[in-house]
Amino acid sequence: MLPLSIGDGELAETAEAVVSVPEMFAYWLQGGRIDLGFLGAAQIDRYANINTTVIGDYRKPSTRLPGAGGAPEIAASCGEVLITLRQNPRAFVETLDFVTSVGHVDGAGGREKLRLPGKGPTAVITDLGILTPDPVSKELTLTSVHPGVDVEKVKKATGWPLKVAAHVAQTAPPTESELSVLRDLHA
């Protein structure tokens, strides 16, 4: 059974340790001891900055979202970050309504200017494909499409002129073992 939240006691049943939130942030996360973080978003821009705070003007938003939680610390301090969300023009926007967590800020050198450790976002995994930061510009680039999806569909689902790799791979389908685990979780 999936836990109800990150605070669900079920998560501690097989844990090697349970630590307080201040210890998690100060010692583990800011201390560079977390190699991989996972984040979701309501909005993302071409440099993998994300918004989980508000849609619209901050003072009078059309939608108030759950907020930052630990996302800014995860985005800033993990060795690398994977972001998952559905790809559509409402989520993949030219300009975020609010920057909750930084990805690659404004491109090459953005994280370094802010002295952020780690690589930042290394992949954005959507229902259509996989985008990875360009090694030089740090702009998200379509590098893989899922089976049955073409590049044009991904471009139409993006609110900026999407950069596309010279060779776009097809995402490998899940293995039988992976499908079995997912089916067990779903049950």
Side-chain angles (χ1 to χ4, degrees), residues 73-151:
E73 294 294 337
I74 292 167
S77 300
C78 282
E80 64 181 291
V81 177
L82 299 179
I83 300 170
T84 60
L85 71 158
R86 290 190 183 276
Q87 190 158 357
N88 61 65
R90 287 180 49 199
F92 282 68
V93 297
E94 182 77 40
T95 304
L96 296 176
D97 290 339
F98 186 88
V99 178
T100 306
S101 306
V102 297
H104 294 286
V105 191
D106 54 2
R111 291 183 65 81
E112 293 76 11
K113 285 181 213 165
L114 296 177
R115 298 183 182 163
L116 299 176
K119 298 176 188 174
T122 55
V124 177
I125 304 161
T126 78
D127 54 324
L128 302 178
I130 300 172
L131 296 88
T132 59
D134 177 86
V136 177
S137 71
K138 299 301 181 187
E139 182 176 344
L140 291 176
T141 304
L142 180 65
T143 54
S144 180
V145 291
H146 300 327
V149 175
D150 64 33
V151 170

Side-chain angles (χ1 to χ4, degrees), residues 12 18 26 30 40 58 62 70 73-75 129-131 161 166 176:
V18 176
Q30 294 171 352
Y58 184 80
S62 60
E73 294 294 337
I74 292 167
I130 300 172
L131 296 88
E176 279 305 315

